[in-house]
């Protein structure tokens, strides 16, 4: 319940923004896999990018320490346990959150749900910081999937009013999937600069912006996903909504398909070089919840960072009166930038869990 | 895995479009609840509406027979088991599906996944007909939630190119939620007629159209939903993607929030009559995955019915050659119409499961 | 929760002793398996043996009707759904159970737990009759395991004061495992007649007797079972305690090992014909929850049938006064006889679920 | 799978005997509970008792560090995460285990299952040391249950050939339940000294002994436990077999009931002071898997510590030849002594999980 996900590959996320540490336990990962720690560190670094005008002053080295599950760097069959210490926290920034909930945050619902026992420092367990352990788990899953020839990538296709270009879902290239791995900003030129400007502008106005992330995966064999409630869409969605600020998800052509005729939306089959081929990909690689061999494509919409420096209307729960809230501290003006690898992590975890689960059907 | 969902309230759906019967087992439903069979029949009837120009000639009485779980009409603590016999099936319509997969259907992925052992008659377990047992389970959940003052409803807000009006997410009324319960067509005037025309037009052209369903729930207390992976969004999405043809889901203002500033998207708190009130509802009643006391609002996008009468390009898997497919049989030109109660069912199941699960936190 | 078990192979049992029907849904069974209906009927028949002096007059044909999951007799990837109609029930026999609970039965706890809403006819969902659908699921699992060379069998080794001989856990033969399949009474000569006499004697005194069932499985590869909470012992025990009347379970030499020295209890390794061999089997084929290649052996203890015809002390819950209870109806004087195939079913379900789950680790 | 247990209260155990640390994540614990750290330390100390002749020279302070889940010492709704550093490990003691498996240990099955990738130092994830995090989780559960008036205790009733006295299952007193909390040795006089002597004797002979632990819980309301697969017996057994060396479990009179008549085994109901009372407790407080208000009583059998200093027959997997194994290092001559609080922990976790799960039915 709550912070545990997965069927064969079970991931349990723990920690609060300002608790001693955050981390995860990954139970069910195959034994005998050499985790590439450097590659994992690179993946984690994408969550906390530097070199951008608004890069947070909070230094999150996010150094991952494995407490268990590895024997000489190789998974040994026991659960993987990873910890990231919380350092450089400034809890005094958050003293008032218990009485004056921040609009758009979980402060108020947590206060009611847990009767004031919640840890509200930095958003507690609801903090975006908890996506770091999700990236640990997802980053290792991603490495493993690559050994099977399954490659995942994501990029920003919208930041506030600025739209970038979607990938051609029929032919997503490895170069495209890996672009954001290397880039300072996870969107392709020429859109990247306009998106950066949009964020800088919002920040200069003490405000924030939302965004849309597109994620794709290639190399999936036909047949991954289970009918009805355990298809690729169900499983990816269940994890993706665990990323703070995600408010929508769509697969393939998503909401656009509602406006279409069946004749325009059905992806036809053709024989190409003796192989069954699908000549369009409105389905985003998924039929009946099951992979059809086309690139898996989905998009998630993230709301603007709720923590803004503009004064906001709120209430003082201790006095029952209206008040104005002025948030201090360090806040990212656009969560979507850092969320790009997190969406990849979510996708990789969902897919690897399904692959492990249905081994028998596939082989 | 696959056709079983839920944590405390476990629902297991079974059957294929042309198997002897379809049905469900509902384990974990509270004892002592008198199921209103007539109300359930009315709810089921919304899945198979008559009186519309394209109403399917297949007569699905969908009479529900309870094999277990009731004692004198009252839930007795044992699992509820419900069966709907499959009658009037015409399997010969589907003889060719194993060799020539229908574009947009799961025929091809099922063929590969199960190596030709799948039941392809009528789409087998992937058939929209399997939403009937989902409605049995969801319909009973809906009845139960109503006794707690929690009311759910849904309506069509888009059919192909025709858009209807969304509900005002700040104040969804009971009348609005119940409109589709009584109406012949589940969209409000003046949009209903245009939508009907759109469907009739598509059908006359041997084609189909997609749609968007909006669902809302009022009366939820603050605090329903668990952090991270078991929030309302995660759980509703996991079930909603179990409805055939659903390709996207968004909560509150959904994908629109990506284009917004935080200052415009954060829902402010105000004291109203001594109560904490939220003065807008971009969040769709959910913060951090947890209900905030506002109406819960979400939308799902459904693709056009993949079964169309226009000839389509496909392949003959037995010969490895290209072919044209002409589908016969009975097919709904717009799945979205019948899916309206199914979306309600999905929402009610997800919410009731969470309510049962977190009893301790709430009370 | 409650009547649903399994991780990859999920089984959901439904029905009450006197509801319209009983049955099960089996989700996650591999596709492409031809269920041998005749063999299944034979297995089911062992639960309701005829030809014994006390064979119950209630005729339970236990004819299994599959509502879904098969296509031309072969599993098709959709959940298997099986139903057994309840016929020949005589509910009037149980009219008084709501007010006067039978000692040793669940009547009283069900009354309190479900506040009088429970179905007490025939014990409701707690009835031994519910082991029939468990045998459907387990019987199919057993057939499947046999195709992998994994064979399971069980026999009675104690009935009341009569003890039979345990199998030699080092070398259980297929003949031994299959003995109870064919025999009228599931214990080997010369013990069978003494056991039968013991039961007849108890019955003639309006009483009942308990028993011990020993179950073994051969052919398991080394490595089946997961560490800690999902080992063979954990999983088999969880299902076995779902069989009414089971009060204890022990693996290998079980409770005897408590009295031993390590030097006597450790099973030594030796090379035999170039293979690692284990020269004794106190462990019952399980080390650390994981199969070691030796025969899997366990025993379950069942209490005497609580329904006896001797008058018993009970209370009248409606009046709050003491009373005497005289049970009528049809009751088996020794549940353990019929439970033999049920224990096999439990074992096969647990093992197949684990095999499906850990495919990747094994291959 | 494997090291994760629980439905509402999910516990995930991690670490190996010689990994950097061991620990657990506890998801779903109620918010607002002040964990008594001192009491928890006392409970943990019972797992590593000093003052006994064979007390292991390995000093396990087992200091628990909470990384998350607490806010000012009170559970805050986020998962509890606890870590115990592994210090003072001497891995060189175990260098040969990969090639020469210890009889009675999981070395060999782990080697085959994980193809040599397992962490065999100190038994890796199979080590009895992993019961420490189980005690963290169970110890907190125990504290919580005590606030509800539910008290659990355990004691040794057999060590090798020495038998102690069982509790009277009809009237287990709080003093009895708490005896082992304070005592140096967890068995009551006069049996304690004979048991200690038995262990000393075995140790002096470079051998080890097994034992039986009896556990009881009082204060449970009627109605705890779910039918069929989620009763108290199923759930307790599933966790109890996660304790290394446990080979059997029995509830109430356990295996003895097999030899009884129903008339002797059925616990009669009587009105006492206007309350329903049960005048014997062969059932160990459980009917149909559900608590009946009597003391919950069960026993587990533990095998003798497999690590003994006597030379043993084994094989060298690297050469495929027979060999003799002489184990060095530090080993407990009777695991059962330290396992007493672990059995309590298992019981408390199972019961609290059920209580949280079925809140609605009870209240």
């Amino acid at each position: 319940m709550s912070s545990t996900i997965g069927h064969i590959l079970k991931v349990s996320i723990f920690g609060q923004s300002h608790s001693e540490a955050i981390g995860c336990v990954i139970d069910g990962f195959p034994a005998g896999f050499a985790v590439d720690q450097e590659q994992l560190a690179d993946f984690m670094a994408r969550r906390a990018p530097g070199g951008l005008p608004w890069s947070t002053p909070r230094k999150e080295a996010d150094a991952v320490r494995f407490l268990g599950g590895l024997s000489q760097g190789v998974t040994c069959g026991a659960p993987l346990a990873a910890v990231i210490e919380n350092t450089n926290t400034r809890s005094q920034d958050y003293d008032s959150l218990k009485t004056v909930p921040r609009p758009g945050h979980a402060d108020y619902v947590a206060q009611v749900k847990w009767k004031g026992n919640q840890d509200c420092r930095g958003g507690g367990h609801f903090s975006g910081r908890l996506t770091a352990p999700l990236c640990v788990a997802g980053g290792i899953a991603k490495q493993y999937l690559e050994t099977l020839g399954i490659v995942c990538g994501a990029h920003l296709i919208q930041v506030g009013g600025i739209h970038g270009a979607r990938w051609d879902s029929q032919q997503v290239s490895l170069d495209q999937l890996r672009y954001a791995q290397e880039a300072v900003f996870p969107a392709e030129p020429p859109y990247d600069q306009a998106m950066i400007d949009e964020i800088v502008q919002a920040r200069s106005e003490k405000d924030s912006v939302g965004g849309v992330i597109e994620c794709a995966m290639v190399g999936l064999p036909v047949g991954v996903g289970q009918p009805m409630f355990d298809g690729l869409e169900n499983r990816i969605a269940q994890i993706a909504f665990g990323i703070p600020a995600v408010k929508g998800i769509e697969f393939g052509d998503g909401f656009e398909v509602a406006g279409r005729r069946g004749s325009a939306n059905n992806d036809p089959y053709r024989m190409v070089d003796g192989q069954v081929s699908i000549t369009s990909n409105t389905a985003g690689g998924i039929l009946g919840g099951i992979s059809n061999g086309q690139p898996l494509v989905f998009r998630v919409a993230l709301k603007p960072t709720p923590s803004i420096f503009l004064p906001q209307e709120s209430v003082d729960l201790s006095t029952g009166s209206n008040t104005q809230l002025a948030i201090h501290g360090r806040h990212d003006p656009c969560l979507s930038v850092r969320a790009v690898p997190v969406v990849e992590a979510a996708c990789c975890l969902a897919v690897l869990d399904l692959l492990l689960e249905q081994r028998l059907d596939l082989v």
Side-chain angles (χ1 to χ4, degrees), chain A:
Chain A
M1 310 296 137
S2 87
S3 303
T4 304
I5 190 88
H7 296 241
I8 295 298
L9 185 71
K10 279 195 187 286
V11 177
S12 192
I13 307 274
F14 62 82
Q16 301 107 258
S17 182
H18 289 57
S19 65
E20 291 209 28
I22 56 177
C24 63
V25 179
I26 309 165
D27 196 356
F29 198 89
F33 183 72
V35 176
D36 185 327
Q37 302 277 357
E38 200 172 322
Q39 197 177 325
L40 182 63
D42 288 349
F43 185 70
M44 300 297 292
R46 291 173 54 199
R47 249 197 83 258
L52 290 168
W54 60 87
S55 290
T56 170
R58 175 172 177 180
K59 204 190 152 301
E60 298 183 83
D62 281 357
V64 180
R65 180 183 169 219
F66 284 92
L67 303 183
L70 295 177
S71 179
Q72 301 177 299
V74 173
T75 56
C76 68
L80 284 156
V83 164
I84 300 168
E85 299 288 326
N86 277 331
T87 53
N88 190 20
T89 56
R90 300 189 302 185
S91 298
Q92 70 280 16
D93 291 344
Y94 304 93
D95 279 353
S96 60
L97 296 185
K98 239 172 195 165
T99 46
V100 183
R102 293 170 299 177
H105 270 285
D107 300 336
Y108 170 64
V109 295
Q111 169 76 17
V112 174
K113 184 180 179 73
W114 292 310
K115 303 183 194 62
N117 292 298
Q118 80 279 13
D119 182 354
C120 57
R121 298 168 297 158
H125 192 56
F126 296 95
S127 167
R129 180 149 175 73
L130 270 293
T131 57
L134 190 60
C135 280
V136 173
I140 298 173
K142 194 183 180 199
Q143 288 181 19
Y144 186 86
L145 288 172
E146 296 225 353
T147 67
L148 304 176
I150 299 169
V151 179
C152 180
H155 64 149
L156 268 173
I157 58 166
Q158 185 184 344
V159 166
I162 309 300
H163 292 257
R166 293 182 184 183
W167 287 326
D168 174 355
S169 64
Q170 264 292 91
Q171 32 189 337
V172 185
S173 71
L174 293 185
D175 279 354
Q176 286 176 313
L177 292 175
R178 286 171 178 155
Y179 177 79
Q181 256 175 244
E182 312 290 340
V184 174
F185 188 84
E188 297 83 353
Y191 313 104
D192 55 348
Q193 193 53 52
M195 289 177 178
I196 291 174
D197 293 346
E198 176 89 348
I199 298 170
V200 167
Q201 180 66 25
R203 183 170 169 258
S204 73
E205 296 173 17
K206 303 186 172 183
D207 215 333
S208 63
V209 281
V212 173
I213 294 167
E214 183 177 61
C215 182
M217 179 178 267
V218 300
L220 269 182
V222 181
V224 179
Q226 307 280 42
M228 213 164 280
F229 304 119
D230 290 296
L232 284 164
E233 290 147 327
N234 316 66
R235 293 283 189 92
I236 291 173
Q238 198 191 359
I239 306 189
F241 280 113
I243 306 172
V246 170
K247 295 301 283 185
I249 188 166
E250 57 176 15
F251 293 83
D253 287 355
F255 276 83
E256 278 176 34
V257 304
R260 280 209 197 118
R261 290 286 178 89
S263 55
N265 194 61
N266 286 348
D267 299 315
Y269 295 101
R270 289 281 92 176
M271 298 303 299
V272 175
D273 299 333
Q275 300 291 318
V276 175
S277 176
I278 309 183
T279 61
S280 59
N281 190 13
T282 68
I286 307 172
L287 288 170
I290 296 170
S291 61
N292 66 7
Q294 294 274 85
L296 167 65
V297 180
F298 68 96
R299 283 170 298 283
V300 294
L302 290 96
K303 68 181 181 186
T305 318
S307 291
I308 56 174
F309 296 113
L310 283 172
Q312 297 181 81
E313 294 192 333
S314 185
V315 294
D316 187 322
L317 297 170
S318 65
T319 61
S321 57
N322 289 330
T323 185
Q324 271 218 339
L325 178 69
I327 293 177
H328 304 291
R330 303 159 298 199
H331 300 291
D332 206 323
C334 179
L335 292 172
S336 304
V337 179
R338 303 181 63 173
V340 170
V342 187
V343 171
E344 294 176 12
C347 180
C348 290
L349 284 174
V351 166
L352 181 54
D353 191 25
L354 278 167
L355 274 174
L356 294 174
E357 174 181 329
Q358 66 181 79
R359 199 69 189 171
L360 192 94
D361 288 333
L362 275 182
V363 180

